[in-house]
Amino acid sequence: MRRLLTVLAAAVTLAAAVYLPTASAQPQSTDSTAQQCRSVSVKAPAGTKAETVTAVAHAAGTVDVPPVTPLPEQHIPDVPAFCDLTVTLTHPGQGDRAKVRVWLPLNTWNGRLQTIGGQAYAAGDYGGGLAAAVKNGYAAATTDAGVSTYIDTSWALNSKNQVDTTLLKNFASRSEHEAAVVAKEVIDGFYGKPASYAYFNGCSTGGRQGYMEAQRHPDDYDGILANAPAINWDEFEVATLWPQVVMNNEKTYPTDCEFAAFTNAAVKACDSLDGVKDGLVDDPQRCDFDPRRLIGTEVACKGQELTITASDAVVVRKIWDGPRAASGKQLWSGVPVGADLSALAGITPPDADGNVAGAPFPVPAAWVTQWVAKDPSLDLSKITYSRFTRLFQQSEAEYDKVIGTDDPDLSAFRNSGGRLLTWHGQADQYIPTQGTVQYRQQVERKLGGAQRVDDFYRLFLAPGTPHCGLNQGHGTTDDLGALTAWVEHGKAPETLPATLINADGRQVTRNLCSYPSISHYTGQGDAHAGSGFRCVFPSRH
């Protein structure tokens, strides 16, 4: 029972990591010709068979999205009338069935396609993102890839505890490409003309899907919005189990209050590195706060007074530092300074004797037990540092080519005229930001430097922002609007205007800088209003 409660508690945390995609780009044109909801003929993509094609009409009004564990139901108001056309695909002889849903505005189509990506182990959207896109005039598409929901990984292994390679291939890359092919065909058949522009919009798993499309299917989309991307999947998924491994091996389980004390102290110590104290750490990599400074500090926590110990400081230092092999070699980046440590270093409520245990986040826990160890009964609390290193290396060896999504050769996407825009929160508690930074650096090395890469791929880092946070009430930005302006008008975003939430919960306006430049305060202007900042290269400030 306690283990079940642990999983459910972690699932509630996951709800904060699942986002409603933005769809705010203003329509440039509108097809005012009324359409009737009807099915269209679909020529299945190569290697697939279309089993069924169904069409369901939806009148204008509220779209009710049912609850999907761990998310509650959603109610999206003021959605124009649309036709929900669903195509069920199978790969003959492989026993899979993947659904592609295309929502087609009946009266207000803006001439564009927007495909919505997934989250965690869900390959696609359950209605909230589709409805948001339709409200803004898009024909919207998504696929379930034939797999399950956000934290349901029952599809991972077959009855012989072998990885279901068909479904993993669908989830990793194949179904997303097939969804693009089907969606374009459906739009052409339904409206009698193709979409003028095709966009992909995703965060987290959706971000990874966007990068995979750019890498393997560069002609699918004109513009890809891929935020907080779960690229380097085979590495970071194991790496994000590291906080649990640390606590179990050090036999120390700090409370969320104690973790917050370390985070708040680090933010306070490193806040002014960008030239001003505004509650945001612009570059966590430069923050060298030593957690040992808090040893002996009293922390008020739920009616108790706790004293931070040397062991607590060791745990925090190792989590910030990131996983290392026994040789000392760093395997992956750690949780960024400023991010919520308790997200990956969760613990169970105290039992009758006051004892607690680790409560792993479901996503890395499932990856390690099912895809890597292929043993759902594996006791994660028993993983030693050396066993962790072996699991990390095994995951990389078995799955990098399948789902790593880390190929830096984006030349085909560049040559096709595509545009890729990404923002990633500097306080991402689930996907270490440095993985995205390192990928961007690899692309620069492959394709001739930052300026050449900026022609088609831009990365923006958002200070103080958690996982997918600019879509979740932890701040806002019109990322899709910036992407459409770039694709359709050639206006590359030098900055990405954003409203951020600082450590005090206060709104801060800031222009996010295009990597590798960073935001630095000049000493003049209202820092909270975003004035007085300029984008500089790190060596210049």
Side-chain angles (χ1 to χ4, degrees):
M1 176 59 72
R2 185 172 70 180
R3 186 169 181 82
L4 175 61
L5 292 174
T6 295
V7 173
L8 292 176
V12 172
T13 305
L14 177 66
V18 180
Y19 80 118
L20 183 64
T22 55
S24 57
Q26 293 299 313
Q28 300 299 314
S29 62
T30 300
D31 186 345
S32 59
T33 303
Q35 300 285 332
Q36 296 295 319
C37 185
R38 67 188 189 284
S39 181
V40 298
S41 61
V42 174
K43 180 181 178 181
T48 73
K49 175 184 177 182
E51 289 193 332
T52 60
V53 181
T54 61
V56 178
H58 288 261
T62 298
V63 170
D64 297 315
V65 182
V68 181
T69 303
L71 297 187
E73 62 185 4
Q74 300 179 61
H75 304 284
I76 316 298
D78 305 319
V79 180
F82 65 93
C83 184
D84 177 357
L85 196 147
T86 302
V87 179
T88 302
L89 300 176
T90 185
H91 298 90
Q94 297 182 39
D96 63 328
R97 284 177 176 77
K99 291 182 179 179
V100 178
R101 300 183 72 184
V102 187
W103 287 15
L104 303 149
L106 297 179
N107 306 302
T108 58
W109 184 43
N110 64 15
R112 302 182 182 103
L113 162 66
Q114 182 184 161
T115 299
I116 308 296
Q119 289 285 301
Y121 289 107
D125 181 67
Y126 290 94
L130 295 169
V134 169
K135 284 183 69 169
N136 284 274
Y138 290 85
T142 200
T143 179
D144 67 5
V147 299
S148 298
T149 59
Y150 302 112
I151 57 174
D152 180 356
T153 57
S154 58
W155 55 273
L157 303 175
N158 61 25
S159 58
K160 298 179 181 179
N161 273 358
Q162 298 170 331
V163 171
D164 190 319
T165 56
T166 293
L167 292 181
L168 180 59
K169 184 177 181 179
N170 284 358
F171 177 70
S173 61
R174 181 166 60 180
S175 288
E176 206 59 62
H177 168 62
E178 292 166 354
V181 173
V182 167
K184 290 178 181 180
E185 185 178 354
V186 166
I187 287 171
D188 197 355
F190 189 80
Y191 293 111
K193 59 183 179 181
S196 300
Y197 298 96
Y199 294 94
F200 183 88
N201 185 357
C203 193
S204 194
T205 286
R208 185 196 61 75
Q209 292 167 323
Y211 274 75
M212 185 67 88
E213 281 291 287
Q215 292 168 19
R216 297 194 183 179
H217 305 286
D219 297 322
D220 280 355
Y221 294 100
D222 302 293
I224 293 175
L225 181 61
N227 301 322
I231 53 177
N232 308 295
W233 179 282
D234 53 299
E235 295 163 307
F236 97 83
E237 281 298 359
V238 183
T240 48
L241 191 65
W242 175 252
Q244 293 290 322
V245 173
V246 169
M247 292 192 302
N248 290 328
N249 279 270
E250 302 301 324
K251 296 181 172 48
T252 299
Y253 302 88
T255 64
D256 55 354
C257 303
E258 290 166 308
F259 278 135
F262 283 105
T263 298
N264 294 338
V267 169
K268 184 177 179 180
C270 298
D271 187 358
S272 60
L273 291 176
D274 60 357
V276 65
K277 289 189 175 183
D278 58 358
L280 296 172
V281 177
D282 275 70
D283 189 0
Q285 290 297 107
R286 295 174 60 215
C287 182
D288 59 358
F289 176 78
D290 188 341
R292 290 177 296 184
R293 291 169 56 181
L294 290 194
I295 295 173
T297 301
E298 298 289 334
V299 176
C301 186
K302 303 170 185 175
Q304 293 182 299
E305 286 292 330
L306 305 176
T307 302
I308 290 178
T309 67
S311 296
D312 294 329
V314 167
V315 166
V316 171
R317 179 182 59 80
K318 285 179 175 289
I319 293 174
W320 279 342
D321 182 54
R324 291 185 179 272
S327 64
K329 177 185 176 182
Q330 187 171 44
L331 299 173
W332 202 249
S333 303
V335 176
V337 172
D340 178 9
L341 292 165
S342 64
L344 295 176
I347 59 175
T348 63
D351 63 16
D353 298 321
N355 298 315
V356 300
F361 188 57
V363 181
W367 180 256
V368 170
T369 57
Q370 302 197 66
W371 280 274
V372 184
K374 303 170 188 64
D375 178 8
S377 66
L378 176 67
D379 187 348
L380 296 175
S381 69
K382 304 298 185 184
I383 295 177
T384 62
Y385 286 132
S386 58
R387 175 77 188 279
F388 175 87
T389 299
R390 294 195 298 273
L391 289 167
F392 184 93
Q393 294 168 340
Q394 179 187 347
S395 181
E396 187 177 18
E398 292 185 13
Y399 297 108
D400 181 63
K401 300 302 181 184
V402 179
I403 198 172
T405 324
D406 56 1
D407 181 358
D409 188 358
L410 296 180
S411 57
F413 182 71
R414 175 197 61 196
N415 296 342
S416 75
R419 299 291 182 264
L420 171 60
L421 190 152
T422 292
W423 56 255
H424 200 149
Q426 291 276 42
D428 194 316
Q429 70 276 43
Y430 295 109
I431 300 178
T433 316
Q434 282 304 111
T436 301
V437 172
Q438 290 165 9
Y439 175 79
R440 161 71 195 215
Q441 293 169 343
Q442 291 167 352
V443 176
E444 291 175 7
R445 289 193 293 270
K446 183 72 175 180
L447 299 183
Q451 290 186 340
R452 291 188 178 183
V453 173
D454 278 347
D455 288 342
F456 71 96
Y457 168 27
R458 298 206 173 190
L459 168 65
F460 299 85
L461 303 179
T465 301
H467 187 59
C468 294
L470 296 184
N471 300 117
Q472 293 181 327
H474 296 286
T476 58
T477 188
D478 187 10
D479 46 10
L480 188 57
L483 180 61
T484 57
W486 192 8
V487 169
E488 298 174 24
H489 304 291
K491 186 179 179 182
E494 297 295 335
T495 61
L496 197 62
T499 299
L500 309 176
I501 308 298
N502 69 10
D504 299 324
R506 182 177 178 181
Q507 287 190 350
V508 178
T509 301
R510 183 73 61 83
N511 285 333
L512 307 182
C513 298
S514 178
Y515 180 86
S517 61
I518 61 175
S519 181
H520 191 75
Y521 185 59
T522 64
Q524 297 179 338
D526 184 349
H528 288 92
S531 59
F533 286 88
R534 63 188 178 97
C535 294
V536 300
F537 288 97
S539 60
R540 297 181 184 175
H541 77 282

